[in-house]
Amino acid sequence: DAGVTQSPTHLIKTRGQQVTLRCSPKSGHDTVSWYQQALGQGPQFIFQYYEEEERQRGNFPDRFSGHQFPNYSSELNVNALLLGDSALYLCASNPTGTGRNYGYTFGSGTRLTVV
Amino acid sequence: DAKTTQPTSMDCAEGRAANLPCNHSTISGNEYVYWYRQIHSQGPQYIIHGLKNNETNEMASLIITEDRKSSTLILPHATLRDTAVYYCIVRVAPDNYGQNFVFGPGTRLSVLP
């Protein structure tokens, strides 16, 4: 059973460019969350998608946007990249409304470097 | 902001029990305590969670004090592969899709041979 799959694993972009990161949730999971993890810090919540809608958002600017597709996969888009956007971007999925929830399942992340 | 306080780092000898403390003095009655760990260059991995009773699974044990203001994660026989950053998180009842996890800096556990 595949877990959470993220692509690409590594990416290098130039300041001002736009980037799209992709996530396929674990089989049976319908909710996807995105986190940003700067070097040496804990992950920071960006937003969460359920039923193709953004349900909750962390303290991130509008340059960060997302989308969820009918098959529950998700994309994270970042516009006008800044050097400070360099980080590991993590996708997590979980099932909703299934009773006891054992927490999120995280992918291995996409390492974004902005130069 | 994270609602928990953890030591920055800890060492443990291989084969010994690793006891990782966490303070969550402002925890509410409906908040669970979750533990995750993150091995270098990987995403966080769920370990265990609990409300007020002690919990045990194949990975670890979670001991929550009676007043619920602190907890301890116990890895009974630490191995080199347990070297990771361990995060203690409190979160409201998990079935609400709108609840996210707030990660602090965690505890960096080093298991030494």
Side-chain angles (χ1 to χ4, degrees), chain A residues 50-70:
Chain A
Y50 171 69
E51 291 187 330
E52 303 179 47
E53 290 188 14
E54 183 181 296
R55 298 293 178 169
Q56 192 174 14
R57 188 179 184 93
N59 188 26
F60 280 79
D62 292 345
R63 297 186 298 108
F64 290 77
S65 63
H67 189 78
Q68 186 180 34
F69 299 93

Side-chain angles (χ1 to χ4, degrees), chain B residues 7-61:
Chain B
T8 302
S9 63
M10 294 181 63
D11 292 339
C12 176
E14 187 178 20
R16 304 296 294 270
N19 297 281
L20 291 90
C22 179
N23 288 321
H24 31 79
S25 59
T26 61
I27 192 170
S28 301
N30 63 347
E31 287 184 316
Y32 286 69
V33 179
Y34 281 79
W35 283 83
Y36 279 80
R37 73 180 182 183
Q38 187 172 22
I39 297 170
H40 183 63
S41 297
Q42 298 182 21
Q45 176 191 23
Y46 167 82
I47 302 173
I48 199 167
H49 76 290
L51 183 62
K52 54 183 177 181
N53 297 321
N54 297 337
E55 301 286 345
T56 296
N57 63 20
E58 65 279 3
M59 290 183 68
S61 295

Side-chain angles (χ1 to χ4, degrees), chain B:
Chain B
D1 292 339
K3 300 180 180 180
T4 62
T5 304
Q6 299 177 252
T8 302
S9 63
M10 294 181 63
D11 292 339
C12 176
E14 187 178 20
R16 304 296 294 270
N19 297 281
L20 291 90
C22 179
N23 288 321
H24 31 79
S25 59
T26 61
I27 192 170
S28 301
N30 63 347
E31 287 184 316
Y32 286 69
V33 179
Y34 281 79
W35 283 83
Y36 279 80
R37 73 180 182 183
Q38 187 172 22
I39 297 170
H40 183 63
S41 297
Q42 298 182 21
Q45 176 191 23
Y46 167 82
I47 302 173
I48 199 167
H49 76 290
L51 183 62
K52 54 183 177 181
N53 297 321
N54 297 337
E55 301 286 345
T56 296
N57 63 20
E58 65 279 3
M59 290 183 68
S61 295
L62 173 60
I63 307 299
I64 303 174
T65 58
E66 191 169 347
D67 63 7
R68 301 208 326 122
K69 293 185 176 181
S70 66
S71 61
T72 301
L73 178 74
I74 300 173
L75 308 178
H77 305 287
T79 71
L80 299 179
R81 287 176 292 182
D82 292 321
T83 293
V85 177
Y86 287 77
Y87 299 100
C88 170
I89 303 165
V90 296
R91 199 186 76 151
V92 176
D95 286 351
N96 185 336
Y97 61 74
Q99 300 299 318
N100 70 83
F101 286 98
V102 179
F103 288 82
T107 295
R108 182 171 299 278
L109 175 69
S110 298
V111 180
L112 307 175

Side-chain angles (χ1 to χ4, degrees), chain A residues 40-101:
Chain A
Q41 299 181 20
Q44 302 299 307
F45 176 72
I46 302 175
F47 43 53
Q48 184 179 69
Y49 277 84
Y50 171 69
E51 291 187 330
E52 303 179 47
E53 290 188 14
E54 183 181 296
R55 298 293 178 169
Q56 192 174 14
R57 188 179 184 93
N59 188 26
F60 280 79
D62 292 345
R63 297 186 298 108
F64 290 77
S65 63
H67 189 78
Q68 186 180 34
F69 299 93
N71 67 352
Y72 309 124
S73 67
S74 177
E75 289 181 350
L76 164 66
N77 300 293
V78 186
N79 294 322
L81 284 167
L82 304 173
L83 295 179
D85 295 331
S86 296
L88 179 67
Y89 288 84
L90 295 161
C91 174
S93 70
N94 68 286
T96 301
T98 58
R100 187 172 183 138
N101 183 332

